[in-house]
Amino acid sequence: MLRYFTAGESHGPCLTAILEGFPAGFAVDVAALNHDLWRRQQGYGRGGRMAIEKDEAILKSGVRFGETLGSPITLVIENRDWKNWQKKMSADPADRDPDLAVTRPRPGHADLAGVLKYHHADVRNVLERASARETTARVAVGSFTKQLLAPFGIRVMAWVAEIGGIAADHSRLTPAEVFERAEHSAVRIADPAAEERIIAAIDQSKERGDTLGGVVEVVATGLPPGLGSHAHYDRKLDGRLGGALLSLQSAKGVEVGLGFRMARLPGSQVHDEIFFDGEKKEFVRRSNRCTRSTSARRTRPWPRSSARTCAPFRPRP
Amino acid sequence: MLRYFTAGESHGPCLTAILEGFPAGFAVDVAALNHDLWRRQQGYGRGGRMAIEKDEAILKSGVRFGETLGSPITLVIENRDWKNWQKKMSADPADRDPDLAVTRPRPGHADLAGVLKYHHADVRNVLERASARETTARVAVGSFTKQLLAPFGIRVMAWVAEIGGIAADHSRLTPAEVFERAEHSAVRIADPAAEERIIAAIDQSKERGDTLGGVVEVVATGLPPGLGSHAHYDRKLDGRLGGALLSLQSAKGVEVGLGFRMARLPGSQVHDEIFFDGEKKEFVRRSNRCTRSTSARRTRPWPRSSARTCAPFRPRP
Amino acid sequence: MLRYFTAGESHGPCLTAILEGFPAGFAVDVAALNHDLWRRQQGYGRGGRMAIEKDEAILKSGVRFGETLGSPITLVIENRDWKNWQKKMSADPADRDPDLAVTRPRPGHADLAGVLKYHHADVRNVLERASARETTARVAVGSFTKQLLAPFGIRVMAWVAEIGGIAADHSRLTPAEVFERAEHSAVRIADPAAEERIIAAIDQSKERGDTLGGVVEVVATGLPPGLGSHAHYDRKLDGRLGGALLSLQSAKGVEVGLGFRMARLPGSQVHDEIFFDGEKKEFVRRSNRCTRSTSARRTRPWPRSSARTCAPFRPRP
Amino acid sequence: MLRYFTAGESHGPCLTAILEGFPAGFAVDVAALNHDLWRRQQGYGRGGRMAIEKDEAILKSGVRFGETLGSPITLVIENRDWKNWQKKMSADPADRDPDLAVTRPRPGHADLAGVLKYHHADVRNVLERASARETTARVAVGSFTKQLLAPFGIRVMAWVAEIGGIAADHSRLTPAEVFERAEHSAVRIADPAAEERIIAAIDQSKERGDTLGGVVEVVATGLPPGLGSHAHYDRKLDGRLGGALLSLQSAKGVEVGLGFRMARLPGSQVHDEIFFDGEKKEFVRRSNRCTRSTSARRTRPWPRSSARTCAPFRPRP
């Protein structure tokens, strides 16, 4: 069982993750992890902070000579701006300064809920942890975990499917092609026409002092049938993925396969019929509309399971 | 911490749930629980099985003289059709009959994934547990849990929002009103015009041998601000609710608040502005589009958080 | 991951266990399980209840035609005396009878702690669950789990090492021999001379209206090296075994290997030196004083890890 | 629910703990935590390493201006000797040097089990994490947790009860007195005569190149009745304490109350009779032999629950 904790305030000295249960003897690629951290910081119209922080993970335990030991892996990402926050985010009671207190809770954040729940007088005591910067530690953990799956032929990819209501048309591409093209796009989208319109929309939104939302697609290929289980509610794959995705800051929806469109289509257009290929002696499907039935996913030419997250994309003035 | 396990095959002798961690000294209402079980079995166009089973929970532990003891609560729901399945679902090796084996996996179910994962030769070994009947045990557990919340003024309600693409218009009603009306509808929907069209659509779908999907809304009122937490990813309320809802058989999507619509709207139309009512000395919001910001939910006249699940509604020929 | 819950009051209708995560396709032996339940009820000088109850487990889920399905296994052990307790232990509020209340907490039990913690006016509300009868459900779960280990050559055995301060001398026997002899002893002890003295001590104790304590040894043979882990505190085998054994009613101590004797011996007499057998190409040890170092256990002729539990043995007048 | 992970190799850059679930708004005392770390390093005859390391915890998250935020607390203890181990314990594959490999597993450690389990060629890959230095992170976590209990009048104390078979006689002292005296002893024992003999035994043992073992007593005072629960096996206090204590490196036994002595005494001398003080209107006990029955512990003049751990005390040549 893999487990992980994340810790760290947005303007604290660093973010820390402990990843426990990672197998021993695995050659981890720290450069690939740092590439994933770099990737998290890209995006047209991002806030100024992204320019300040060039995240890099430092390994403090669990890896020796490039290989995992089987012991807990500590990943530390230092906050480069810490020198400007040492006093304001100090752990030392002597540095307390009531004048610093943030007293105006922002909507769309955990600010108000947090101060009411934890009895804080300073909204900063909430916003520092509720910040999207916390996901940096999750990206680091996820990067090593993706590396662990790679030798099994499993690949996890994600890209932007739409921003501000402008959706990509990449329906004729394979997941690997979509991913490849999106990686070279300023808004991580595989459709140049959509990209152009999105950039214009972001610019306009910025001018108005407003923000846009978006949809991200996550696709895993090469998965064996039977991940998760039908046997108990807390082992079900859809539930676990859905729980993980909705735990992301600002995510307000998750779909698996066709998602909500399934609710509007007749069953005959929703399910993926199962055929048996007598020659190859394997089950095949000619559609992939419903991840619930992607058990035989490996037998399809371009397996594809998609979970969509509605993550508001927020350019700031 | 409340924990529960569910067990039982669809055509086995019974379903069993153990609910552990329930507080002591609480007067449980078994009639209300049985009403919830009855409710689960209603719905226009349901399969023949619903007529056979009249579910009732039997308490086997954890309750004495109507009050909880603090010890694990065992809830048993007997399968009334068991007498016809005793041989086919027998635990006894002497009853094995290979001729009974189901060998044709159905799409849209865990059948194929299950037999590949667990190396079963008989699809029944999967479908019996993957069945939606398993949710009966969850309804029983959920019923007692709802009762536990009631003295705090918390109410959890659910209804059908749409079936087969035909959506209810209940935007001018309070959650309590929607719930009340939906409870008296054959398709649990609070809009008589939509109900009529849905019933016609179900009839037509049945004739064609097809099925329809739908969307369910879950609303909790009276919640205190700060349930869940921003402090760690696995304590976040959205994530936990999303994980629970997507663990339901046939659920393929979850939305919180405006959900995917948020991804298409500018931030200015998505967030719920926070005001301070100087007279009442409390925070107020004049919208509730974003459950993430419903921290101050208690201060609104008709608080409402909605998670939508896309659960195909399946009339059978 | 195997998980289980137990439920049930001592004089309730039944005990229930749900064993979740058990692999599919395993042929379980219900007769062997029932033999383990029978075994739990034996012992010279046991109370009258043991004669009333002849425990037998009924499978309510998770097993079909003698083989596990991969779904949760429900084990039910009915209380044969239930007909005499239906009113006194009724779940129905109408049966409440304040005159039945037990108001005198017994020392050496959870009675007083339980009524204070759970605000019960009737000690029975605690003692029914705190009862040693709860271990029946654990024996049932443990029996299937032992069966799962058997094909790997792993055997888990237990016997009485001492009662009332009278210890067995079985130092020249192998674990399998000790087990075999103990199984045929009225007090489950492998030393006939000790057995005779123990029976006399039990008789005398009974006459005086007093009770005796004892020590049980648990030995597992055939284990592979490396069970548990040094990598994180909650994966350590000694900790997990110790936690399980001390969760047993009336257990007040656990030792691994030489246990407390190790604290009194010099290190040179405590550790098990590691040798390398160049011919067989394997590590060997010539002693087994310290389970912490039984990593290479499989290489010894008679591997032996012992955890001792101090479980007062209570004949009642 | 409080949770924590520990991470870090003995000669790595640092030890890290993440303590998750700690309440917000609590004023933590870092000096007291550092005193506990200092305390861990004391003891007559300790190895040379203790002189090198002067452990101090650095707070990297979860605390601001001396108060907890409710977010995960990161505690880092740097290894002062790291500069001498940078190459030997480097995470960088370029630093790999097969000549450094430790190939001789030590008895009494996880060395052999670890290399067999994790397929390591270098014993150092195990011993670095199996090291008792890991407990430093647990001491740090435990120190904050003790601080959290203090305002409730709960005090957790520990001292040495015996070393090398030489036991302290402190039976006429209160726990607080024993603790106070032990804190001023070179071997943390409250009996000067025993101390003198122990120091001599340590010196002799060192000369012979041997080691001694010992017994530690842990006492908590001021606890409310009903901690833990009789309701489910994994909530029982004895089981949880026993599991925690036996997860400590080198611990081979745990006793609660009189422990194994209970197994040798008649029930009449083991249980703590419960009396009711009609004047004070409270339950009282006149003995405390059996922690299982210390539910009413608060009512005794000198409440005392003791768990004994057999922890070999190892002076090294």
Side-chain angles (χ1 to χ4, degrees):
Chain A
M1 186 177 50
L2 272 170
R3 306 181 286 182
Y4 74 99
F5 281 172
T6 69
E9 274 63 55
S10 183
H11 297 93
C14 61
L15 301 167
T16 308
I18 295 180
L19 173 55
E20 202 280 328
F22 204 89
F26 186 84
V28 288
D29 185 339
V30 179
L33 185 156
N34 284 330
H35 177 74
D36 280 338
L37 293 181
W38 170 85
R39 214 175 148 263
R40 197 194 76 92
Q41 296 186 295
Q42 305 315 304
Y44 185 79
R46 304 301 296 269
R49 175 109 193 253
M50 290 299 172
I52 294 170
E53 302 284 357
K54 289 221 166 52
D55 290 332
E56 265 180 59
I58 306 164
L59 287 163
K60 292 289 192 184
S61 75
V63 175
R64 190 178 175 221
F65 302 151
E67 282 185 20
T68 55
L69 297 175
S71 56
I73 298 170
T74 307
L75 293 158
V76 172
I77 301 111
E78 290 180 357
N79 287 328
R80 306 223 168 190
D81 206 23
W82 170 236
K83 59 183 177 301
N84 298 318
W85 288 85
Q86 285 188 72
K87 282 281 172 191
K88 285 176 271 185
M89 288 299 294
S90 168
D92 190 340
D95 291 323
R96 183 187 297 272
D97 177 359
D99 293 346
L100 291 174
V102 176
T103 54
R104 211 168 146 188
R106 298 160 305 164
H109 291 75
D111 293 10
L112 181 56
V115 294
L116 291 172
K117 172 168 187 154
Y118 293 103
H119 299 285
H120 288 306
D122 184 349
V123 174
R124 178 164 301 286
N125 291 346
V126 174
L127 67 86
E128 281 287 335
R129 178 66 186 156
S131 163
R133 181 147 180 79
E134 181 263 340
T135 60
T136 309
R138 294 203 236 179
V139 167
V141 164
S143 185
F144 272 7
T145 309
K146 273 195 300 177
Q147 293 179 23
L148 187 61
L149 297 174
F152 299 97
I154 298 169
R155 200 172 168 196
V156 183
M157 292 167 283
W159 50 78
V160 170
E162 84 181 61
I163 289 176
I166 303 160
D169 176 8
H170 51 234
S171 54
R172 277 169 316 236
L173 304 176
T174 65
E177 286 166 350
V178 177
F179 180 69
E180 191 55 38
R181 292 189 194 187
E183 287 296 284
H184 292 94
S185 155
V187 291
R188 213 176 298 278
I189 204 157
D191 174 344
E195 182 185 35
E196 203 174 317
R197 292 176 56 213
I198 287 169
I199 286 175
I202 291 173
D203 290 341
Q204 286 163 25
S205 178
K206 259 188 162 169
E207 265 171 52
R208 285 195 309 271
D210 210 337
T211 60
L212 300 177
V215 174
V216 167
E217 276 178 8
V218 182
V219 172
T221 59
L223 298 173
L227 285 185
S229 173
H230 69 282
H232 204 249
Y233 69 88
D234 56 3
R235 294 183 184 265
K236 301 205 175 197
L237 189 58
D238 284 6
R240 300 186 75 142
L241 292 175
L245 288 165
L246 273 172
S247 79
L248 288 167
Q249 289 83 342
S250 85
K252 303 305 289 179
V254 180
E255 289 182 332
V256 181
L258 292 185
F260 278 84
R261 273 169 291 169
M262 283 192 182
R264 281 130 205 169
L265 291 168
S268 53
Q269 290 172 45
V270 157
H271 297 306
D272 302 301
E273 207 173 337
I274 302 166
F275 302 92
F276 190 76
D277 183 329
E279 222 166 286
K280 291 192 183 166
K281 305 255 180 225
E282 62 183 25
F283 292 101
V284 286
R285 296 184 197 264
R286 292 171 193 148
S287 63
N288 184 11
R289 297 177 285 207
C290 176
T291 308
R292 179 70 39 99
S293 56
T294 49
S295 47
R297 203 179 287 168
R298 208 165 36 181
T299 64
R300 293 192 59 255
W302 302 297
R304 168 174 173 176
S305 71
S306 62
R308 283 167 173 256
T309 314
C310 147
F313 187 88
R314 288 168 304 179
R316 286 177 195 142
Chain B
M1 185 178 51
L2 272 170
R3 303 180 290 180
Y4 73 100
F5 282 172
T6 70
E9 274 63 53
S10 183
H11 297 92
C14 62
L15 301 168
T16 307
I18 296 181
L19 175 54
E20 202 279 331
F22 204 90
F26 187 84
V28 288
D29 184 339
V30 179
L33 185 156
N34 284 331
H35 176 76
D36 280 337
L37 293 181
W38 171 85
R39 213 175 149 265
R40 197 195 76 92
Q41 298 187 295
Q42 306 315 302
Y44 185 79
R46 304 302 296 270
R49 177 108 192 255
M50 292 297 173
I52 295 169
E53 303 284 356
K54 290 223 166 49
D55 290 332
E56 267 181 58
I58 307 164
L59 286 163
K60 293 289 190 184
S61 76
V63 176
R64 188 176 176 222
F65 302 151
E67 281 184 20
T68 55
L69 297 175
S71 56
I73 299 171
T74 306
L75 293 158
V76 173
I77 301 112
E78 290 180 358
N79 287 329
R80 305 224 169 190
D81 206 23
W82 169 236
K83 59 183 178 299
N84 299 318
W85 287 86
Q86 286 188 70
K87 283 282 174 190
K88 284 176 272 186
M89 287 301 294
S90 168
D92 191 337
D95 290 323
R96 183 188 296 273
D97 178 356
D99 293 347
L100 292 175
V102 176
T103 54
R104 214 169 143 185
R106 299 162 303 165
H109 291 76
D111 293 10
L112 182 55
V115 294
L116 290 172
K117 172 169 187 154
Y118 293 104
H119 299 285
H120 287 308
D122 185 347
V123 173
R124 178 164 300 287
N125 291 345
V126 174
L127 67 86
E128 282 288 335
R129 179 65 186 158
S131 163
R133 183 149 179 77
E134 180 264 340
T135 60
T136 309
R138 293 202 236 179
V139 167
V141 164
S143 185
F144 272 7
T145 309
K146 273 196 300 178
Q147 293 178 25
L148 187 61
L149 297 174
F152 299 97
I154 298 170
R155 199 173 170 198
V156 183
M157 293 166 282
W159 50 76
V160 171
E162 88 182 59
I163 290 177
I166 304 158
D169 176 8
H170 51 235
S171 54
R172 278 168 315 236
L173 304 176
T174 66
E177 286 166 350
V178 177
F179 180 70
E180 193 53 40
R181 295 193 192 184
E183 286 296 285
H184 292 95
S185 155
V187 293
R188 212 177 300 278
I189 205 156
D191 173 345
E195 182 185 35
E196 204 175 317
R197 289 175 58 213
I198 286 168
I199 286 175
I202 291 173
D203 290 340
Q204 286 162 23
S205 178
K206 255 186 164 170
E207 265 172 50
R208 285 194 311 269
D210 210 338
T211 60
L212 299 177
V215 174
V216 167
E217 277 179 7
V218 183
V219 172
T221 59
L223 298 173
L227 285 185
S229 173
H230 69 281
H232 204 249
Y233 68 90
D234 56 2
R235 295 183 184 266
K236 302 207 175 195
L237 189 58
D238 284 5
R240 299 187 76 142
L241 293 175
L245 288 165
L246 272 174
S247 80
L248 287 168
Q249 289 84 342
S250 84
K252 304 304 290 178
V254 179
E255 289 182 332
V256 181
L258 293 186
F260 278 84
R261 271 169 294 169
M262 284 194 181
R264 282 132 206 169
L265 291 167
S268 52
Q269 291 173 45
V270 157
H271 296 305
D272 302 301
E273 209 174 337
I274 302 166
F275 302 92
F276 190 74
D277 183 329
E279 222 165 287
K280 292 192 182 165
K281 306 253 178 228
E282 63 184 22
F283 292 102
V284 287
R285 296 184 196 265
R286 293 172 191 145
S287 62
N288 184 9
R289 298 177 284 208
C290 176
T291 308
R292 178 72 38 100
S293 54
T294 50
S295 45
R297 202 179 287 167
R298 212 163 35 179
T299 63
R300 294 191 58 253
W302 303 299
R304 168 172 173 180
S305 71
S306 62
R308 283 166 172 256
T309 313
C310 146
F313 187 87
R314 287 168 305 180
R316 288 178 192 141
Chain C
M1 185 178 51
L2 272 170
R3 305 180 288 182
Y4 73 100
F5 281 173
T6 70
E9 274 63 54
S10 184
H11 297 93
C14 62
L15 301 168
T16 307
I18 295 181
L19 174 55
E20 202 279 329
F22 204 90
F26 187 84
V28 288
D29 185 339
V30 179
L33 185 156
N34 284 330
H35 176 75
D36 280 338
L37 293 181
W38 171 85
R39 213 175 148 263
R40 197 195 75 93
Q41 297 188 296
Q42 305 315 303
Y44 186 80
R46 304 302 294 269
R49 176 107 192 255
M50 290 298 173
I52 295 169
E53 302 284 356
K54 289 220 165 53
D55 291 331
E56 265 180 59
I58 306 166
L59 285 162
K60 293 287 191 186
S61 76
V63 176
R64 189 177 175 221
F65 302 152
E67 281 184 21
T68 54
L69 297 175
S71 56
I73 299 170
T74 307
L75 294 158
V76 173
I77 301 111
E78 289 180 357
N79 287 329
R80 307 222 168 193
D81 206 24
W82 170 236
K83 59 181 178 300
N84 299 318
W85 288 85
Q86 286 188 71
K87 283 282 173 192
K88 285 175 273 186
M89 287 300 294
S90 169
D92 191 340
D95 290 323
R96 183 187 297 273
D97 179 357
D99 293 346
L100 291 175
V102 177
T103 54
R104 212 170 145 185
R106 300 161 303 165
H109 292 74
D111 293 10
L112 182 55
V115 295
L116 291 172
K117 172 168 187 155
Y118 294 103
H119 298 285
H120 288 306
D122 185 348
V123 173
R124 177 164 301 288
N125 291 346
V126 174
L127 68 85
E128 282 287 335
R129 180 65 188 158
S131 162
R133 181 147 181 79
E134 181 263 341
T135 61
T136 309
R138 293 203 236 180
V139 167
V141 164
S143 185
F144 271 7
T145 309
K146 272 196 301 178
Q147 293 178 25
L148 187 61
L149 297 175
F152 299 96
I154 298 170
R155 200 173 169 196
V156 182
M157 294 168 282
W159 50 76
V160 171
E162 84 182 61
I163 290 175
I166 303 159
D169 176 8
H170 50 235
S171 54
R172 276 168 317 234
L173 304 176
T174 66
E177 286 167 348
V178 176
F179 180 69
E180 191 55 38
R181 293 190 194 186
E183 286 297 284
H184 292 94
S185 155
V187 292
R188 212 176 298 278
I189 205 158
D191 173 344
E195 182 186 35
E196 204 175 318
R197 291 175 55 213
I198 287 168
I199 287 174
I202 291 172
D203 290 341
Q204 286 163 25
S205 178
K206 257 186 163 170
E207 266 171 52
R208 285 194 310 271
D210 209 336
T211 61
L212 300 177
V215 175
V216 167
E217 276 179 7
V218 183
V219 172
T221 59
L223 299 173
L227 285 183
S229 173
H230 69 282
H232 204 249
Y233 68 90
D234 57 2
R235 294 184 184 265
K236 301 207 176 197
L237 189 58
D238 285 6
R240 299 187 76 142
L241 293 174
L245 288 165
L246 272 172
S247 80
L248 288 167
Q249 289 84 342
S250 85
K252 304 305 290 180
V254 179
E255 289 182 332
V256 181
L258 293 186
F260 278 84
R261 272 170 292 168
M262 282 193 182
R264 283 132 205 167
L265 290 167
S268 52
Q269 290 172 46
V270 158
H271 297 307
D272 301 301
E273 207 174 338
I274 302 167
F275 302 92
F276 190 76
D277 184 327
E279 222 165 286
K280 291 190 182 167
K281 305 252 179 226
E282 63 183 24
F283 292 101
V284 286
R285 297 184 196 266
R286 291 171 193 146
S287 62
N288 184 10
R289 296 177 284 206
C290 175
T291 308
R292 179 68 42 98
S293 55
T294 50
S295 46
R297 202 178 287 167
R298 208 164 37 181
T299 63
R300 292 190 61 254
W302 301 299
R304 168 173 174 179
S305 71
S306 61
R308 281 163 176 259
T309 313
C310 145
F313 187 88
R314 288 168 304 180
R316 287 176 194 141
Chain D
M1 184 177 52
L2 271 172
R3 305 180 289 181
Y4 73 100
F5 281 173
T6 69
E9 274 62 54
S10 184
H11 297 92
C14 62
L15 300 167
T16 307
I18 296 181
L19 174 56
E20 201 281 329
F22 204 90
F26 187 84
V28 289
D29 184 339
V30 179
L33 185 157
N34 285 329
H35 177 75
D36 280 337
L37 293 181
W38 170 84
R39 213 175 148 263
R40 197 196 74 92
Q41 297 187 294
Q42 306 314 304
Y44 186 80
R46 304 302 294 269
R49 176 108 192 254
M50 291 298 173
I52 296 170
E53 303 285 355
K54 288 223 165 52
D55 290 332
E56 265 181 59
I58 306 164
L59 285 162
K60 293 288 191 185
S61 77
V63 176
R64 190 177 174 221
F65 302 152
E67 280 185 21
T68 55
L69 298 175
S71 56
I73 299 171
T74 306
L75 293 158
V76 172
I77 301 111
E78 289 180 358
N79 287 328
R80 307 222 167 192
D81 206 22
W82 170 236
K83 59 181 179 297
N84 299 318
W85 287 86
Q86 286 189 70
K87 285 281 173 189
K88 284 176 273 185
M89 288 300 294
S90 168
D92 190 339
D95 290 324
R96 183 187 298 274
D97 178 358
D99 293 346
L100 291 175
V102 176
T103 54
R104 213 167 144 186
R106 297 161 305 165
H109 291 75
D111 293 8
L112 182 55
V115 294
L116 290 172
K117 171 168 188 155
Y118 293 104
H119 299 285
H120 288 307
D122 185 348
V123 173
R124 178 164 300 286
N125 291 345
V126 174
L127 67 86
E128 282 288 333
R129 179 65 186 158
S131 162
R133 182 147 180 78
E134 180 264 340
T135 60
T136 309
R138 294 202 236 180
V139 167
V141 164
S143 184
F144 272 6
T145 310
K146 274 195 300 178
Q147 293 178 25
L148 187 61
L149 297 174
F152 300 97
I154 298 170
R155 199 173 170 198
V156 183
M157 293 166 282
W159 49 76
V160 170
E162 86 182 61
I163 289 177
I166 303 160
D169 177 7
H170 50 235
S171 54
R172 277 168 316 235
L173 304 176
T174 67
E177 286 166 350
V178 176
F179 179 69
E180 192 55 39
R181 295 192 191 186
E183 287 295 284
H184 292 94
S185 154
V187 293
R188 212 177 298 278
I189 205 156
D191 173 344
E195 182 185 35
E196 201 175 321
R197 290 175 57 213
I198 287 169
I199 287 174
I202 291 172
D203 289 341
Q204 286 162 25
S205 179
K206 257 188 164 170
E207 265 172 51
R208 284 195 310 271
D210 211 338
T211 62
L212 299 178
V215 174
V216 167
E217 276 179 8
V218 183
V219 172
T221 59
L223 298 173
L227 285 185
S229 173
H230 69 282
H232 204 250
Y233 68 90
D234 56 2
R235 293 183 185 267
K236 302 206 175 196
L237 189 58
D238 285 4
R240 298 185 76 141
L241 292 175
L245 289 165
L246 272 174
S247 79
L248 288 167
Q249 288 84 343
S250 85
K252 306 303 291 179
V254 179
E255 289 182 331
V256 181
L258 292 186
F260 278 84
R261 271 169 294 169
M262 283 193 182
R264 282 132 205 167
L265 290 167
S268 54
Q269 290 172 45
V270 157
H271 297 305
D272 301 300
E273 209 173 338
I274 302 166
F275 301 92
F276 190 76
D277 183 329
E279 222 166 287
K280 293 193 182 165
K281 305 254 181 227
E282 63 183 24
F283 293 102
V284 286
R285 297 184 196 266
R286 292 171 191 145
S287 62
N288 184 9
R289 296 178 284 207
C290 175
T291 308
R292 178 71 39 101
S293 54
T294 48
S295 47
R297 203 179 288 167
R298 211 163 36 180
T299 63
R300 295 192 56 253
W302 303 299
R304 166 173 174 177
S305 71
S306 62
R308 284 166 172 256
T309 314
C310 145
F313 188 88
R314 287 169 304 180
R316 289 179 192 139

